[in-house]
């Protein structure tokens, strides 16, 4: 028997998600689909082993952080698995982040290696003079139009490299991945995930979703985000299934094409994307979900109105998931045929949930409280953030920043983000609840509700509404009238603003903080 804490290859998440499939006879199964490219598990294994050789020949060793600024394509998956393979720490980030944010992550993580999408990009230019980090471009020769020296291309180097057959032995507590949050409330924070969390993850959500080798997973959330990382790597590669990768922006026309050509069986989206799909002209004709056995939503709350529209239009009984980067993925979910429709779901197997007060004590049944989560894939720290770590992580539990309530009879009910809650006339009001009411109006396509202090420093509720196509002028008056009839006085908005679009974060979520700032700046 292996002694506790003794490093072994099988405790390396890279081995479990990739090499294991070759050992168990799944080498020829399809693993990745990307445009016209189809990779088997054997193909991905060779590419990951070749990239691992490039990393080691550059002097990278176990524990080194490797920042991967890549769009979703096979090299990005291979680079993540290659980092794990050599015992290094993968740090995937989105190329659409600002250059300052990308540079901050490289510096904050103490990266020894960086792979950038474009050699001629600004990040490559900033890193060119540093001698403490090795930088690769995705491909060689793409800096010709700039004054920057061309970086070595990881694609070309890997193709010429001899595959590295060995998997570096790891312990469960060794760091595997650092996922940086989107930074909407300040500087991005690096959430530290260990090999044990990645290894135990499939036993929960993977089993709940009944993932199988026959599945093809299409995620509109990208690999660089916790939700997309689980959708396009952890879930399919845990089951010997395939992931459909798309490097571009997941806009409705692109999704329509992918549904038609890739024929996914499991579809992962966010509510904002689902709403955009519904808004497509002739959506039911142009979006073929007939091959999708399961659709999942997470990243932000999926309201009952939108969920009903998805069922009525596409026949999708969407799984509504609640998760966080700190918990790696979804920990609370509604499952078709098993979950009560009037709840926000049930804890995924292996997870415990509690509603607590500000002091961290459990609140009475059916009283709102802050959500704390304990489970097998919960992180235990932020990278280089001891004070924020102490405020968020405690004895294996993480405070998610969500407000919920729970009762034995009522089940788990999501109320909203704790930092978005409105205090009006002594009442705690969730903007999510009000947005759900706004979306019931047939002329509203999407919306955001924020609270703004008035001249007396009392909270004024403001609605920003994006109309459905073809809606005539005067929506603000009609909507305000409807809400005054539907809501009690303390929940009624004072102002409705009709806008063409809402600001969003890099993950596609509606950015209430930006809406709030916009309203403050426009108010005399």
């Amino acid at each position: 028997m292996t002694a506790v804490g003794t490093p072994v290859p099988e405790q390396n998440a890279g081995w479990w998600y990739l090499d294991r499939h070759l050992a168990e006879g799944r080498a020829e199964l399809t693993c990745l689909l990307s445009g016209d490219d189809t990779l088997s598990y054997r193909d991905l294994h060779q590419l990951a082993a070749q990239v691992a050789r490039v990393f080691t020949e550059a002097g990278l060793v176990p524990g080194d952080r490797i920042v991967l600024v890549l769009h979703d394509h096979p090299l990005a998956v291979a680079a993540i698995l290659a980092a794990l393979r050599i015992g290094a720490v993968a740090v995937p980030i989105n190329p659409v982040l600002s250059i300052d944010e990308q540079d901050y992550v490289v510096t904050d993580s103490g990266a020894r290696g960086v792979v950038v999408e474009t050699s001629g990009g600004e990040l490559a230019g900033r890193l060119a003079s540093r001698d403490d980090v090795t930088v690769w471009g995705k491909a060689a020769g793409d800096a010709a139009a700039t004054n920057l020296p061309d970086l070595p291309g990881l694609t070309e180097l890997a193709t010429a490299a001899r595959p590295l057959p060995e998997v570096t032995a790891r312990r469960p507590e060794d760091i595997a991945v650092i996922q940086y949050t989107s930074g909407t409330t300040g500087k991005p924070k690096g959430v530290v995930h260990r090999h044990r969390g990645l290894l135990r993850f499939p036993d929960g959500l993977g089993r709940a979703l009944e993932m199988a080798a026959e599945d093809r997973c299409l995620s509109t959330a990208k690999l660089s985000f916790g939700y997309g990382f689980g959708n396009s790597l952890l879930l399919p590669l845990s089951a010997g299934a395939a992931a459909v990768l798309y490097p571009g922006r997941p806009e409705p026309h692109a999704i329509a094409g992918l549904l038609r050509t890739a024929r996914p069986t499991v579809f992962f989206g966010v509510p904002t994307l689902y709403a955009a799909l519904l808004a497509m002209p002739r959506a039911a004709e142009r979006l073929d979900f007939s091959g999708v056995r399961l659709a999942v939503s997470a990243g932000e709350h999926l309201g009952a109105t939108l969920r009903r529209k998805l069922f009525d239009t596409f026949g999708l009984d969407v799984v509504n998931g609640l998760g966080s980067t700190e918990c790696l993925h979804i920990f609370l979910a509604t499952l078709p045929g098993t979950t009560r429709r009037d709840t926000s779901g049930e804890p995924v197997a292996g997870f415990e949930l509690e509603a607590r007060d500000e002091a961290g004590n459990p609140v009475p049944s059916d009283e709102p409280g802050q959500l704390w989560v304990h489970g097998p894939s919960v992180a235990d720290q932020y990278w280089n953030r001891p004070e924020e770590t102490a405020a968020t992580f405690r004895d294996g539990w993480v405070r998610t920043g969500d407000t919920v309530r729970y009762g034995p009879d009522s089940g788990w009910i999501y109320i909203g983000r704790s930092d978005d809650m409105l205090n009006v006339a002594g009442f705690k009001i969730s903007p999510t609840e009000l947005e759900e009411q706004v979306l019931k109006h047939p002329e509203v396509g999407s919306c955001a509700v924020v609270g703004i202090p008035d001249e007396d420093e009392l909270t004024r509720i403001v609605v920003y509404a994006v109309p459905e196509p073809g809606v005539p002028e005067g929506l603000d008056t009609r909507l305000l009238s409807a809400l005054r009839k539907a809501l009690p006085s303390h929940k009624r908005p004072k102002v409705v603003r009709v806008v063409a679009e809402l600001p969003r974060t890099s993950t596609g979520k509606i950015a209430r903080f930006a809406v709030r700032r916009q309203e403050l700046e426009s108010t005399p």
Side-chain angles (χ1 to χ4, degrees):
M1 179 179 293
T2 302
V4 175
T6 301
V8 296
E10 290 79 3
Q11 290 172 339
N12 185 317
W15 181 93
W16 198 88
Y17 282 93
L18 187 54
D19 294 67
R20 176 178 63 93
H21 296 296
L22 274 65
E24 295 176 1
R26 289 183 287 274
E28 306 310 322
L29 293 183
T30 298
C31 181
L32 300 178
L33 298 100
S34 179
D36 295 330
D37 296 330
T38 299
L39 277 70
S40 67
Y41 276 87
R42 187 186 303 281
D43 295 332
L44 179 60
H45 180 269
Q46 173 158 323
L47 181 57
Q50 289 173 309
V51 174
R53 177 73 70 180
V54 175
F55 287 163
T56 57
E57 290 183 348
L60 297 179
V61 298
D64 282 346
R65 275 75 63 200
I66 305 176
V67 172
L68 307 169
V69 196
L70 297 170
H71 291 300
D72 287 16
H73 43 63
L75 184 67
V77 176
I80 292 170
L81 293 168
L84 296 176
R85 188 176 195 83
I86 67 171
V89 179
V91 187
I93 63 174
N94 197 324
V96 305
L97 292 177
S98 72
I99 298 301
D100 286 341
E101 287 177 314
Q102 295 178 27
D103 195 7
Y104 171 82
V105 170
V106 171
T107 301
D108 183 69
S109 66
R112 290 284 318 284
V114 178
V115 185
V116 297
E117 184 73 28
T118 305
S119 296
E122 187 176 346
L123 180 62
R126 291 193 184 186
L127 299 176
S129 61
R130 291 179 52 172
D131 57 9
D132 60 336
V133 60
T134 301
V135 186
W136 296 270
K138 175 189 170 188
D142 61 1
T146 72
N147 294 322
L148 296 173
D150 197 31
L151 296 173
L154 185 59
T155 300
E156 291 79 9
L157 291 173
T159 300
R162 179 167 51 88
L164 183 70
E166 301 85 8
V167 176
T168 300
R170 294 279 83 189
R171 293 182 296 263
E173 296 305 312
D174 288 332
I175 301 174
V177 176
I178 299 177
Q179 295 175 330
Y180 275 79
T181 62
S182 56
T184 58
T185 57
K187 292 284 189 182
K189 298 189 295 290
V191 179
V192 174
H193 286 293
R194 304 180 188 277
H195 282 269
R196 59 168 167 77
L198 272 63
L199 291 168
R200 296 186 62 188
F201 167 78
D203 292 334
L205 189 66
R207 289 187 178 179
L209 300 182
E210 299 180 345
M211 295 296 301
E214 295 76 23
D215 280 318
R216 291 186 173 191
C217 300
L218 171 58
S219 173
T220 63
K222 298 301 184 180
L223 273 166
S224 50
F225 306 122
Y227 181 40
F229 186 82
N231 302 341
S232 293
L233 196 156
L234 300 183
L235 283 170
L237 269 61
S238 69
V244 179
L245 302 179
Y246 179 66
R249 185 171 176 267
E251 50 85 23
H253 294 285
I255 297 303
L258 290 169
L259 288 171
R260 183 176 59 255
T261 59
R263 303 298 296 169
T265 62
V266 184
F267 182 84
F268 298 93
V270 297
T272 298
L273 186 278
Y274 281 117
L277 295 178
L278 287 167
M280 283 185 72
R282 307 192 325 275
E285 300 173 28
R286 299 169 66 185
L287 292 158
D288 183 7
F289 282 99
S290 60
V292 174
R293 70 169 182 85
L294 189 66
V296 182
S297 177
E300 54 187 330
H301 181 62
L302 178 69
T305 300
L306 182 55
R307 190 177 180 189
R308 184 173 60 252
K309 287 181 180 179
L310 290 167
F311 183 79
D312 293 343
T313 305
F314 304 123
L316 296 175
D317 189 4
V318 180
V319 171
N320 186 16
L322 179 62
S324 72
T325 305
E326 289 80 0
C327 296
L328 189 61
H329 206 264
I330 292 170
F331 51 76
L332 181 73
T334 61
L335 297 176
T338 63
T339 306
R340 284 170 40 187
R341 303 286 297 186
D342 59 344
T343 73
S344 297
E346 302 171 4
V348 171
F351 285 90
E352 300 174 66
L353 278 61
E354 287 187 359
R356 300 182 182 180
D357 60 21
E358 291 285 347
N361 301 312
V363 299
S365 179
D366 288 314
E367 289 290 325
Q370 295 184 5
L371 178 61
W372 287 75
V373 178
H374 181 278
S377 60
V378 167
D380 57 9
Q381 72 176 90
Y382 293 121
W383 182 259
N384 290 335
R385 298 286 190 93
E387 292 184 3
E388 288 164 288
T389 292
T392 303
F393 302 95
R394 186 182 305 170
D395 300 326
W397 291 77
V398 58
R399 180 170 60 85
T400 67
D402 299 298
T403 298
V404 297
R405 68 173 184 268
Y406 172 77
D409 298 325
S410 58
W412 288 99
I413 306 296
Y414 175 84
I415 297 176
R417 291 292 299 170
S418 300
D419 49 6
D420 283 333
M421 296 295 288
L422 310 178
N423 191 340
V424 181
F427 293 93
K428 293 287 187 180
I429 301 171
S430 166
T432 304
E433 174 193 359
L434 299 186
E435 288 165 0
E436 177 66 19
Q437 188 66 44
V438 172
L439 289 172
K440 290 181 180 180
H441 196 286
E443 295 179 313
V444 176
S446 58
C447 68
V449 172
V450 296
I452 303 296
D454 62 15
E455 62 274 10
D456 297 318
E457 298 186 2
L458 300 175
T459 300
R460 172 170 56 97
I461 300 174
V462 180
V463 175
Y464 274 57
V466 177
E468 292 280 12
V471 170
E473 293 184 2
L475 173 60
D476 52 345
T477 302
R478 295 189 297 275
L479 180 57
L480 198 58
S481 176
L483 294 173
R484 284 173 177 166
K485 293 177 182 177
L487 295 169
S489 59
H490 66 280
K491 293 185 179 181
R492 294 171 188 165
K494 300 297 183 183
V495 179
V496 169
R497 302 201 188 280
V498 179
V499 296
E501 61 181 0
L502 297 169
R504 302 190 182 278
T505 69
S506 60
T507 62
K509 301 177 187 178
I510 292 174
R512 287 198 190 95
F513 70 94
V515 175
R516 190 179 300 112
R517 182 175 60 237
Q518 181 177 331
E519 179 65 19
L520 286 169
E521 291 174 349
S522 64
T523 302

